[in-house]
Amino acid sequence: QVQLVESGGGSVQTGGSLRLSCVASGYTFSGDWMGWFRQAPGKEREGVAAMHTSVPDTWYTDTVKGRFTISRDNAKNTLLLQMDSLKPEDTGMYYCAAERRWSLRKPLSRNEYNYWGQGTQVTVSS
């Protein structure tokens, strides 16, 4: 049974940094996709960053390019999201997701993913 558990959220001021972690159990990174999504109150869940676990293929939504970095620690079976230069509009619940397929048509679409964590809250104040 695949389980994804996020951590690392918190409250920071504009310009601050946070590092999110997602530990996967019942599942080993291999030839599939993992991603980070976020959902602000009253808004739809949107893709923030995604990566293939076996080949160099990463995706970022335009609003976070140059500020966020997705990576993984295979030894710890952990997906990471380094978030720098945070802005108030980055506020939301951040979710880790996994999909056990080699190819996705839209890696930043939530409809592509079948496995989800419970989320970790990120709040950025001005």
Side-chain angles (χ1 to χ4, degrees):
Q1 181 178 357
V2 176
Q3 285 192 321
L4 305 172
V5 179
E6 304 96 333
S7 63
S11 297
V12 297
Q13 292 187 329
T14 297
S17 297
L18 286 173
R19 190 187 198 203
L20 305 184
S21 298
C22 170
V23 178
S25 60
Y27 166 70
T28 300
F29 299 157
S30 178
D32 35 38
W33 283 86
M34 296 194 75
W36 287 97
F37 292 74
R38 66 187 178 192
Q39 188 166 16
K43 294 188 177 181
E44 293 188 352
R45 191 172 299 187
E46 64 167 346
V48 175
M51 68 180 299
H52 198 282
T53 61
S54 294
V55 298
D57 193 357
T58 58
W59 293 58
Y60 295 94
T61 192
D62 287 345
T63 56
V64 307
K65 286 180 180 177
R67 300 188 298 121
F68 290 12
T69 304
I70 189 172
S71 63
R72 69 186 188 277
D73 183 338
N74 286 347
K76 297 181 180 180
N77 223 33
T78 299
L79 184 72
L80 304 168
L81 184 68
Q82 178 67 40
M83 305 188 295
D84 298 317
S85 302
L86 283 161
K87 304 175 181 180
E89 50 265 42
D90 295 318
T91 294
M93 186 70 78
Y94 281 68
Y95 298 91
C96 173
E99 175 57 29
R100 307 189 74 171
R101 285 184 287 154
W102 185 271
S103 297
L104 299 183
R105 288 188 61 195
K106 298 179 179 180
L108 293 180
S109 170
R110 66 183 187 274
N111 296 323
E112 295 272 25
Y113 294 82
N114 281 307
Y115 301 101
W116 293 87
Q118 294 301 306
T120 184
Q121 178 67 36
V122 171
T123 303
V124 185
S125 58
S126 58

